[in-house]
């Protein structure tokens, strides 16, 4: 086989065989195929796409490039969850204890946040003492003992993705549905769960800007997962505005805890219950997602999910008292309100810009080596359809300095777009695939 021929074949819009795809992935990971040829191939895939056979072959070759996690020692059907990322998306912090409290074993690996969306690992690390670095033995032991564990991805989990993603990032080939699907699903398959629920977001604050692309991505991932012998389902959910109010690591953990106490924002509560209900059904503990939702609702109202969260924090070295005393989190030096200047109904929110504002304050990172400041971020209150009048508090900025807060305040004021007529918001959960 010649790499040149495989690039040519894809450039002409022909399908590659599974052997040809494996040859490319193996050769690239070994270092035999140079970046310039792999970039050309990624660009050919970007323009020509892949059929489901090719996308599945790509995903499986990526899985086989590194270690896989064997969860078979943990009894029961293991169900994982993945979100394609959004602003204020702290659903994992709510969903995982909800399902674990219903008896679904949770043994999850997660990634760090990059760009305008946050990562679950960074959020959890804002809890004093919480460690996401666990040995394989600790990981499996905790899952067996308390039914919930979350750790960072091991260094050798899908090395093909680490190399390919870095290359795509520099060659304008990130936004390719089969390449995104291969990247996400390979990590889910390698992490060992039997079933996976995907939360595929669309809108200004999401990776996929419109619902059509999000639907194609969701369908591709579900198809690959099912062809690989696991059960995958997806929800398409809107990211036209932040989820909940908090954007920033410890602010988000506090909001998740409040949600587990039954006092959470309605959008975060609704999406968490839907995802968790689906996971309980996929684990075989409920006949359908609706019955699953009734079970997780009960785990929320009787306090079992909050107890599970507290156990989880303690098991990973975190201070469990944070559940009762939020002053134990690092506190921002400067907290400043932002008020509305105009009157009208909120028609549109620049959700991505809000994520970038939080990142500018230090809540996120541009590059993986950047340092996170857990205490900073924004609490942003209005939702699409809210009526505002001058003087209403629209946000609260948590910053490290007055200068940072002033910059954030100026940017925040441009994020809210008002209409003279009432505005009806779109439903948060659009479809199930
Ligand atoms: N997230 C991933 O993990 N991979 C992609 O390619 C895009 C988003």
């Amino acid at each position: 086989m010649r790499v040149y021929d495989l690039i040519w074949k894809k450039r002409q819009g022909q399908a590659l065989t599974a052997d040809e795809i494996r040859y490319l992935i193996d050769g690239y990971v070994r270092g035999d195929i140079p970046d310039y040829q792999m970039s050309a191939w990624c660009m050919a895939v970007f323009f020509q796409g892949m059929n489901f056979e090719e996308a599945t072959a790509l995903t499986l070759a990526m899985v086989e490039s590194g270690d896989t996690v064997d969860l078979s020692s943990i009894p029961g059907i293991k169900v994982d969850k993945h979100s394609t990322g959004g602003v204020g998306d702290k659903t994992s912090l709510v969903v995982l204890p909800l399902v674990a409290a219903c008896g679904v074993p949770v043994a999850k690996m997660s990634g760090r946040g990059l760009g305008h969306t946050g990562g679950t690992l960074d959020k959890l690390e804002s809890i004093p003492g919480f460690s996401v670095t666990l040995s394989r033995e600790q990981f499996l032991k905790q899952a067996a003992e308390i039914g919930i564990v979350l750790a960072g991805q091991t260094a050798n989990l899908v090395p093909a993705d680490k190399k390919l993603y870095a290359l795509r990032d520099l060659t304008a080939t990130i936004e390719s549905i089969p390449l995104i699907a291969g990247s996400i699903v390979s990590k889910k398959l390698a992490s060992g769960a039997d079933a996976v629920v995907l939360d595929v977001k669309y809108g200004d604050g999401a990776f996929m800007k419109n619902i059509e692309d999000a639907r194609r991505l969701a369908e591709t991932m579900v198809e690959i997962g099912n062809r690989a012998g696991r059960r995958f389902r997806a929800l398409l959910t809107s990211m036209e505005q932040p989820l909940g109010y908090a954007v920033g690591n410890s602010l988000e953990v506090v909001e998740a805890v409040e949600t587990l106490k039954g006092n959470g924002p309605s959008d975060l509560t609704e999406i968490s219950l839907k995802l968790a209900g689906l996971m309980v059904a996929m684990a075989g503990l409920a006949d359908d997602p609706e019955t699953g939702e009734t079970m997780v609702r009960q785990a929320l109202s009787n306090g079992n999910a909050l107890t599970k969260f507290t156990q989880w924090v303690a098991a990973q070295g975190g201070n469990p008292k944070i559940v009762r005393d939020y002053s134990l989190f690092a506190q921002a030096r400067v907290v400043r309100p932002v008020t509305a200047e105009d009157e009208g109904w909120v028609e549109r929110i620049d959700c991505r810009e809000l994520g970038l504002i939080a990142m500018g304050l230090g809540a996120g990172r541009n590059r993986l080596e950047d340092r996170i400041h857990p205490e900073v971020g924004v609490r942003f209150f209005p939702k699409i359809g809210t009526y505002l009048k001058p003087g209403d508090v629209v946000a609260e900025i948590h910053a490290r300095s007055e200068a940072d807060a002033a910059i954030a305040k100026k940017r925040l004021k441009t994020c809210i777009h008002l209409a003279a007529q009432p505005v009806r918001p779109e439903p948060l959960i659009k479809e199930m695939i």
Side-chain angles (χ1 to χ4, degrees), residues 191 201 338 425:
S191 303
K201 302 199 169 290
V338 183

Side-chain angles (χ1 to χ4, degrees), residues 5-162:
D5 297 332
L6 303 184
I7 299 170
W8 183 89
K9 193 172 170 186
K10 184 46 48 192
R11 193 198 72 187
Q12 297 306 103
Q14 296 173 32
L16 300 191
T17 66
D19 283 346
E20 288 169 336
I21 290 170
R22 178 162 291 110
Y23 177 81
L24 283 170
I25 297 299
D26 290 354
Y28 186 54
V29 173
R30 269 201 316 271
D32 295 346
I33 298 177
D35 283 347
Y36 55 81
Q37 283 191 304
M38 209 57 189
S39 328
W41 180 75
C42 286
M43 192 57 86
V45 172
F46 179 90
F47 282 114
Q48 297 293 357
M50 278 182 157
N51 63 31
F52 285 141
E53 281 83 29
E54 290 177 286
T56 307
L58 169 69
T59 308
L60 294 178
M62 289 173 74
V63 172
E64 285 160 23
S65 70
D67 298 340
T68 54
V69 182
D70 180 2
L71 299 179
S72 60
S73 61
I74 306 164
I77 298 176
K78 275 72 68 184
V79 188
D80 198 354
K81 158 194 179 285
H82 179 82
S83 160
T84 54
V87 177
D89 183 3
K90 69 281 290 173
T91 49
S92 286
L93 303 180
V94 182
V95 168
L96 304 183
L98 275 175
V99 301
C102 292
V104 179
V106 173
K108 182 170 170 57
M109 290 196 173
S110 212
R112 298 210 173 265
L114 199 56
H116 72 283
T117 65
T120 304
L121 292 185
D122 301 315
K123 293 173 202 194
L124 285 168
E125 279 181 341
S126 73
I127 299 172
F130 197 103
S131 169
V132 296
T133 313
L134 303 179
S135 69
R136 189 167 287 223
E137 292 68 35
Q138 285 172 316
F139 183 79
L140 294 175
K141 185 165 175 275
Q142 188 178 317
E145 281 177 4
I146 65 163
I148 182 165
V149 62
L150 188 144
Q153 282 158 4
T154 53
N156 201 34
L157 194 93
V158 197
D161 181 58
K162 294 193 177 74

